[in-house]
Amino acid sequence: MSPLPSPNLLPQSRVISRKRNRAVRVWSFILVALVLVVMIPSGLLSVHLRAAEPQDTQHITRFVNDLNELRATLPALKKKVAQLESESKSQELAKLRVHWNSVINQLALLTNENIRIHSFDASIIRQPSKHTINISIQIHSKTLSQAREFLVVLENSSLFDELKMSDSRRTSSAPDAPINSTINASIVAEQPVEANP
């Protein structure tokens, strides 16, 4: 005797829900298999084709050309910068330069027919707070009084900060020989105090 089938006691909604879940699982598996079978090989193929393509070297060539051009112009630029720095230093030194021609011209204006400037020597002593220009002027005059008068003229001119006559003697034993006098003068130039940053 065959057994009688047992009645299905599950509600219809549960049966439908199980069928829906089974169908979702089946379609999910199919989609995953499709992705694995189709998408992965196509992705690998595109990577292979991209790697096999010849690389665009135009931007690399342009970069190399720009780099070579920069290397070619760099020495000229360095030379120009050094030249500008040298000119700037020369201009700064020109501002500090003593214009000896104008000093000698001023001395020539102060002399008269009795005084002749024989030699003119100068030296600069540099110190942190000031620079001193020491000047030695040798003159020839007919008499000692003329040399002293010229010293007074120099003092009144205010060209120098200090003046003194260090030596006066005749150039020879002849009575009409000129007198050689040495006048030592100095000009003091104070250094400007640099402002603290």
Side-chain angles (χ1 to χ4, degrees), residues 73-91:
T73 57
L74 198 57
L77 289 175
K78 286 183 178 179
K79 184 177 179 181
K80 186 66 176 175
V81 168
Q83 181 181 358
L84 290 174
E85 288 179 353
S86 175
E87 289 176 0
S88 176
K89 288 179 181 177
S90 298
Q91 290 174 358

Side-chain angles (χ1 to χ4, degrees), residues 25-60:
R25 281 197 299 269
V26 168
W27 282 107
S28 298
F29 176 76
I30 292 172
L31 287 175
V32 168
L34 185 64
V35 166
L36 292 175
V37 170
V38 175
M39 299 299 288
I40 290 178
S42 66
L44 292 174
L45 182 62
S46 66
V47 169
H48 173 71
L49 291 176
R50 196 173 300 144
E53 284 180 1
Q55 294 183 354
D56 182 17
T57 58
Q58 184 177 2
H59 65 283
I60 298 175

Side-chain angles (χ1 to χ4, degrees), residues 8 17 59 62 137 178:
N8 189 1
S17 174
H59 65 283
R62 188 167 51 246
I137 307 168

Side-chain angles (χ1 to χ4, degrees), residues 9 34 36 40 43 93 105 109 117 124-125 132 139 160 173 185:
L9 300 178
L34 185 64
L36 292 175
I40 290 178
L93 290 174
N105 288 337
L109 292 175
I117 297 177
I124 299 177
I125 299 175
T132 304
I139 60 170
F160 307 103
S173 59

Side-chain angles (χ1 to χ4, degrees), residues 108-117 140-142 146 149-150:
L109 292 175
L110 297 175
T111 59
N112 53 37
E113 67 275 2
N114 298 322
I115 300 295
R116 184 171 62 89
I117 297 177
H140 286 170
S141 59
K142 293 181 179 178
Q146 291 172 347
E149 287 174 4
F150 181 65

Side-chain angles (χ1 to χ4, degrees), residues 163-179:
L163 275 170
K164 66 177 180 179
M165 189 178 294
S166 61
D167 186 24
S168 287
R169 64 181 72 181
R170 289 200 181 274
T171 56
S172 68
S173 59
D176 58 346
I179 295 177

